[in-house]
Amino acid sequence: MNDTSSILVVLIDADDVKHVFAAWPDHICLAACLTRDGDCSMVVFRRDERHAVPQRLLGILAARSDEVCFVPKVRGFETRHFLYSDERRLMALVASDPDLLDEAIDYSINYTYALEEGLDPAVVLGLRRPAEPAMPYKPVAPVVAKRAPSVPQPEAPKAKAELSPLLPEFLRKSAEGARRPTFASVRKAKEGMLAALS
């Protein structure tokens, strides 16, 4: 990496990850985000999301575009030469995280479910918030001041917070129990695992 880039993101195609995990879903790719201080974040994504992944990763990593370089080359970002020996060490790091396979399978299932139900997969997976519906304007009738006897009025029952209509029924039940589902798509490797990459 050059002096300005502090994060190297290696985009690994699903076919390459299948060499490590035989049950890896066909259309799920992996972004390995390596930082200078030795952290590694693994982010799964679908092959057809590849165009949106750089901006998503900038948000996840809380980084500017000049702080990140990609392998292979991504338009608008710097890149670097990635040696075969670096690739082998990176794949060993991927293989050391067995939870990554479960993450990829969950991501694939939830994404496919959202597509089949006609929902926005990014909203269902928690990658983007749903668009808020515009509140219709309701004119308020003018208040006429009248002196009336002060009679205590019963309090109106408080309306329940509306759940998003995009949530499927099984998620709606979970949300009603004050447990909002979140689908993690970031895995952090243990600090000692990256010592071999240094």
Side-chain angles (χ1 to χ4, degrees):
M1 280 183 276
N2 62 28
D3 293 333
T4 61
S5 299
S6 59
I7 303 170
L8 170 65
V9 177
V10 182
L11 301 176
I12 308 169
D13 191 65
D15 295 337
D16 295 324
V17 186
K18 275 186 171 288
H19 293 295
V20 176
F21 299 111
W24 190 265
D26 291 331
H27 50 279
I28 300 296
C29 300
L30 179 65
C33 310
L34 307 165
T35 62
R36 284 188 186 271
D37 59 4
D39 280 341
C40 177
S41 299
M42 303 286 185
V43 180
V44 295
F45 62 95
R46 278 178 55 108
R47 193 176 277 144
D48 57 357
E49 293 180 289
R50 191 176 181 115
H51 67 283
V53 167
Q55 291 304 317
R56 182 187 304 169
L57 291 175
L58 290 179
I60 291 170
L61 300 169
R64 298 184 318 268
S65 59
D66 64 335
E67 296 175 317
V68 180
C69 66
F70 282 85
V71 171
K73 174 75 175 147
V74 171
R75 183 184 298 163
F77 294 91
E78 294 184 33
T79 191
R80 68 167 268 191
H81 185 66
F82 202 61
L83 301 174
Y84 178 75
S85 57
D86 294 333
E87 181 182 327
R88 300 311 314 151
R89 285 194 295 261
L90 179 60
M91 294 312 281
L93 180 66
V94 169
S96 70
D97 187 0
D99 293 336
L100 200 54
L101 176 60
D102 293 335
E103 181 73 24
I105 291 170
D106 288 347
Y107 190 89
S108 176
I109 290 169
N110 289 314
Y111 197 101
T112 303
Y113 172 81
L115 289 177
E116 289 173 353
E117 294 296 319
L119 304 173
D120 183 354
V123 173
V124 172
L125 292 166
L127 302 173
R128 184 175 61 229
R129 298 187 75 168
E132 296 294 329
M135 296 298 290
Y137 173 73
K138 292 183 181 179
V140 178
V143 177
V144 178
K146 291 184 181 179
R147 296 268 176 180
S150 174
V151 178
Q153 298 291 325
E155 289 187 23
K158 293 184 180 179
K160 288 185 177 179
E162 290 291 322
L163 294 175
S164 171
L166 297 177
L167 284 177
E169 187 61 31
F170 72 95
L171 291 178
R172 191 178 296 272
K173 289 178 184 175
S174 175
E176 288 170 356
R179 295 175 297 152
R180 294 254 180 227
T182 57
F183 299 95
S185 63
V186 178
R187 292 280 184 217
K188 288 208 176 232
K190 295 182 178 79
E191 293 177 19
M193 292 179 184
L194 294 178
L197 291 175
S198 301

PDB file of all heavy atoms in Angstrom, residues 6 45 47 71 82 92 94 109 117 150 173 176 179-180 184-185:
ATOM      1  N   SER A   6      -4.584   3.303   3.873  1.00  0.00           N
ATOM      2  CA  SER A   6      -4.367   2.584   5.128  1.00  0.00           C
ATOM      3  C   SER A   6      -5.165   1.299   5.190  1.00  0.00           C
ATOM      4  O   SER A   6      -5.012   0.518   6.104  1.00  0.00           O
ATOM      5  CB  SER A   6      -4.727   3.478   6.309  1.00  0.00           C
ATOM      6  OG  SER A   6      -6.070   3.878   6.227  1.00  0.00           O
ATOM      7  N   PHE A  45     -21.010 -10.493   0.148  1.00  0.00           N
ATOM      8  CA  PHE A  45     -21.915  -9.777  -0.743  1.00  0.00           C
ATOM      9  C   PHE A  45     -22.210 -10.658  -1.948  1.00  0.00           C
ATOM     10  O   PHE A  45     -21.465 -11.592  -2.247  1.00  0.00           O
ATOM     11  CB  PHE A  45     -21.336  -8.429  -1.181  1.00  0.00           C
ATOM     12  CG  PHE A  45     -20.050  -8.526  -1.972  1.00  0.00           C
ATOM     13  CD1 PHE A  45     -20.062  -8.520  -3.360  1.00  0.00           C
ATOM     14  CD2 PHE A  45     -18.825  -8.628  -1.320  1.00  0.00           C
ATOM     15  CE1 PHE A  45     -18.890  -8.620  -4.088  1.00  0.00           C
ATOM     16  CE2 PHE A  45     -17.639  -8.715  -2.039  1.00  0.00           C
ATOM     17  CZ  PHE A  45     -17.678  -8.714  -3.430  1.00  0.00           C
ATOM     18  N   ARG A  47     -22.604 -11.471  -5.969  1.00  0.00           N
ATOM     19  CA  ARG A  47     -21.833 -11.106  -7.166  1.00  0.00           C
ATOM     20  C   ARG A  47     -22.495  -9.940  -7.893  1.00  0.00           C
ATOM     21  O   ARG A  47     -21.809  -9.050  -8.381  1.00  0.00           O
ATOM     22  CB  ARG A  47     -21.727 -12.334  -8.075  1.00  0.00           C
ATOM     23  CG  ARG A  47     -20.717 -12.198  -9.174  1.00  0.00           C
ATOM     24  CD  ARG A  47     -20.608 -13.490  -9.975  1.00  0.00           C
ATOM     25  NE  ARG A  47     -19.711 -14.415  -9.308  1.00  0.00           N
ATOM     26  CZ  ARG A  47     -19.886 -15.732  -9.279  1.00  0.00           C
ATOM     27  NH1 ARG A  47     -20.929 -16.276  -9.859  1.00  0.00           N
ATOM     28  NH2 ARG A  47     -19.020 -16.512  -8.672  1.00  0.00           N
ATOM     29  N   VAL A  71      -7.967  -4.649  -4.562  1.00  0.00           N
ATOM     30  CA  VAL A  71      -7.405  -5.685  -5.421  1.00  0.00           C
ATOM     31  C   VAL A  71      -8.553  -6.637  -5.714  1.00  0.00           C
ATOM     32  O   VAL A  71      -9.167  -7.139  -4.765  1.00  0.00           O
ATOM     33  CB  VAL A  71      -6.253  -6.450  -4.713  1.00  0.00           C
ATOM     34  CG1 VAL A  71      -5.838  -7.654  -5.531  1.00  0.00           C
ATOM     35  CG2 VAL A  71      -5.081  -5.543  -4.436  1.00  0.00           C
ATOM     36  N   PHE A  82      -0.659  -7.596  -5.860  1.00  0.00           N
ATOM     37  CA  PHE A  82      -0.905  -8.570  -4.800  1.00  0.00           C
ATOM     38  C   PHE A  82      -0.213  -9.863  -5.198  1.00  0.00           C
ATOM     39  O   PHE A  82      -0.556 -10.486  -6.194  1.00  0.00           O
ATOM     40  CB  PHE A  82      -2.423  -8.775  -4.646  1.00  0.00           C
ATOM     41  CG  PHE A  82      -2.838  -9.323  -3.322  1.00  0.00           C
ATOM     42  CD1 PHE A  82      -2.588  -8.629  -2.142  1.00  0.00           C
ATOM     43  CD2 PHE A  82      -3.510 -10.533  -3.228  1.00  0.00           C
ATOM     44  CE1 PHE A  82      -3.001  -9.124  -0.915  1.00  0.00           C
ATOM     45  CE2 PHE A  82      -3.926 -11.041  -2.011  1.00  0.00           C
ATOM     46  CZ  PHE A  82      -3.664 -10.337  -0.850  1.00  0.00           C
ATOM     47  N   ALA A  92      -5.645 -18.635   3.769  1.00  0.00           N
ATOM     48  CA  ALA A  92      -5.486 -19.362   5.036  1.00  0.00           C
ATOM     49  C   ALA A  92      -6.226 -18.633   6.156  1.00  0.00           C
ATOM     50  O   ALA A  92      -6.833 -19.253   7.032  1.00  0.00           O
ATOM     51  CB  ALA A  92      -4.009 -19.514   5.375  1.00  0.00           C
ATOM     52  N   VAL A  94      -8.905 -16.734   5.712  1.00  0.00           N
ATOM     53  CA  VAL A  94     -10.329 -16.975   5.447  1.00  0.00           C
ATOM     54  C   VAL A  94     -10.725 -18.348   5.985  1.00  0.00           C
ATOM     55  O   VAL A  94     -11.753 -18.505   6.642  1.00  0.00           O
ATOM     56  CB  VAL A  94     -10.623 -16.864   3.933  1.00  0.00           C
ATOM     57  CG1 VAL A  94     -12.025 -17.365   3.611  1.00  0.00           C
ATOM     58  CG2 VAL A  94     -10.457 -15.420   3.465  1.00  0.00           C
ATOM     59  N   ILE A 109     -29.507 -16.801   1.803  1.00  0.00           N
ATOM     60  CA  ILE A 109     -30.908 -17.172   2.053  1.00  0.00           C
ATOM     61  C   ILE A 109     -31.775 -15.927   2.239  1.00  0.00           C
ATOM     62  O   ILE A 109     -32.854 -15.810   1.646  1.00  0.00           O
ATOM     63  CB  ILE A 109     -31.009 -18.094   3.289  1.00  0.00           C
ATOM     64  CG1 ILE A 109     -30.423 -19.462   2.963  1.00  0.00           C
ATOM     65  CG2 ILE A 109     -32.448 -18.216   3.774  1.00  0.00           C
ATOM     66  CD1 ILE A 109     -30.234 -20.363   4.173  1.00  0.00           C
ATOM     67  N   GLU A 117     -39.971 -12.284  -2.336  1.00  0.00           N
ATOM     68  CA  GLU A 117     -41.117 -11.582  -1.755  1.00  0.00           C
ATOM     69  C   GLU A 117     -41.320 -10.189  -2.341  1.00  0.00           C
ATOM     70  O   GLU A 117     -42.226  -9.464  -1.932  1.00  0.00           O
ATOM     71  CB  GLU A 117     -40.957 -11.476  -0.232  1.00  0.00           C
ATOM     72  CG  GLU A 117     -41.005 -12.813   0.473  1.00  0.00           C
ATOM     73  CD  GLU A 117     -42.345 -13.513   0.324  1.00  0.00           C
ATOM     74  OE1 GLU A 117     -43.385 -12.835   0.415  1.00  0.00           O
ATOM     75  OE2 GLU A 117     -42.342 -14.736   0.097  1.00  0.00           O
ATOM     76  N   SER A 150     -64.404  23.455  33.049  1.00  0.00           N
ATOM     77  CA  SER A 150     -63.235  22.595  33.003  1.00  0.00           C
ATOM     78  C   SER A 150     -63.611  21.192  33.451  1.00  0.00           C
ATOM     79  O   SER A 150     -63.850  20.956  34.622  1.00  0.00           O
ATOM     80  CB  SER A 150     -62.145  23.179  33.897  1.00  0.00           C
ATOM     81  OG  SER A 150     -61.079  22.295  33.971  1.00  0.00           O
ATOM     82  N   LYS A 173     -42.909 -10.353  14.181  1.00  0.00           N
ATOM     83  CA  LYS A 173     -43.123 -10.887  15.522  1.00  0.00           C
ATOM     84  C   LYS A 173     -41.906 -10.641  16.398  1.00  0.00           C
ATOM     85  O   LYS A 173     -42.027 -10.309  17.575  1.00  0.00           O
ATOM     86  CB  LYS A 173     -43.430 -12.383  15.445  1.00  0.00           C
ATOM     87  CG  LYS A 173     -44.789 -12.682  14.867  1.00  0.00           C
ATOM     88  CD  LYS A 173     -45.021 -14.175  14.757  1.00  0.00           C
ATOM     89  CE  LYS A 173     -46.356 -14.462  14.094  1.00  0.00           C
ATOM     90  NZ  LYS A 173     -46.543 -15.894  13.865  1.00  0.00           N
ATOM     91  N   GLU A 176     -41.818  -6.975  17.429  1.00  0.00           N
ATOM     92  CA  GLU A 176     -42.807  -6.624  18.440  1.00  0.00           C
ATOM     93  C   GLU A 176     -42.320  -6.972  19.830  1.00  0.00           C
ATOM     94  O   GLU A 176     -42.757  -6.391  20.802  1.00  0.00           O
ATOM     95  CB  GLU A 176     -44.128  -7.338  18.131  1.00  0.00           C
ATOM     96  CG  GLU A 176     -44.836  -6.754  16.924  1.00  0.00           C
ATOM     97  CD  GLU A 176     -46.005  -7.607  16.467  1.00  0.00           C
ATOM     98  OE1 GLU A 176     -46.236  -8.684  17.035  1.00  0.00           O
ATOM     99  OE2 GLU A 176     -46.692  -7.172  15.533  1.00  0.00           O
ATOM    100  N   ARG A 179     -37.040  -6.839  19.946  1.00  0.00           N
ATOM    101  CA  ARG A 179     -35.766  -7.384  19.491  1.00  0.00           C
ATOM    102  C   ARG A 179     -35.704  -7.184  17.995  1.00  0.00           C
ATOM    103  O   ARG A 179     -36.190  -7.997  17.237  1.00  0.00           O
ATOM    104  CB  ARG A 179     -35.646  -8.869  19.822  1.00  0.00           C
ATOM    105  CG  ARG A 179     -35.608  -9.160  21.296  1.00  0.00           C
ATOM    106  CD  ARG A 179     -35.616 -10.631  21.515  1.00  0.00           C
ATOM    107  NE  ARG A 179     -36.889 -11.141  20.986  1.00  0.00           N
ATOM    108  CZ  ARG A 179     -37.089 -12.359  20.517  1.00  0.00           C
ATOM    109  NH1 ARG A 179     -36.122 -13.205  20.485  1.00  0.00           N
ATOM    110  NH2 ARG A 179     -38.263 -12.731  20.058  1.00  0.00           N
ATOM    111  N   ARG A 180     -35.111  -6.107  17.561  1.00  0.00           N
ATOM    112  CA  ARG A 180     -34.984  -5.842  16.138  1.00  0.00           C
ATOM    113  C   ARG A 180     -33.928  -6.768  15.553  1.00  0.00           C
ATOM    114  O   ARG A 180     -32.824  -6.845  16.069  1.00  0.00           O
ATOM    115  CB  ARG A 180     -34.558  -4.396  15.910  1.00  0.00           C
ATOM    116  CG  ARG A 180     -35.607  -3.432  16.343  1.00  0.00           C
ATOM    117  CD  ARG A 180     -36.263  -2.845  15.145  1.00  0.00           C
ATOM    118  NE  ARG A 180     -37.270  -1.919  15.560  1.00  0.00           N
ATOM    119  CZ  ARG A 180     -38.462  -1.919  15.042  1.00  0.00           C
ATOM    120  NH1 ARG A 180     -38.779  -2.755  14.115  1.00  0.00           N
ATOM    121  NH2 ARG A 180     -39.349  -1.051  15.439  1.00  0.00           N
ATOM    122  N   ALA A 184     -25.696  -9.431  10.592  1.00  0.00           N
ATOM    123  CA  ALA A 184     -24.305  -8.989  10.545  1.00  0.00           C
ATOM    124  C   ALA A 184     -23.692  -9.464   9.251  1.00  0.00           C
ATOM    125  O   ALA A 184     -23.850 -10.600   8.853  1.00  0.00           O
ATOM    126  CB  ALA A 184     -23.532  -9.557  11.727  1.00  0.00           C
ATOM    127  N   SER A 185     -23.006  -8.569   8.580  1.00  0.00           N
ATOM    128  CA  SER A 185     -22.302  -8.990   7.376  1.00  0.00           C
ATOM    129  C   SER A 185     -20.831  -8.661   7.507  1.00  0.00           C
ATOM    130  O   SER A 185     -20.117  -8.580   6.542  1.00  0.00           O
ATOM    131  CB  SER A 185     -22.900  -8.315   6.145  1.00  0.00           C
ATOM    132  OG  SER A 185     -22.738  -6.928   6.240  1.00  0.00           O
TER     133      SER A 185
END
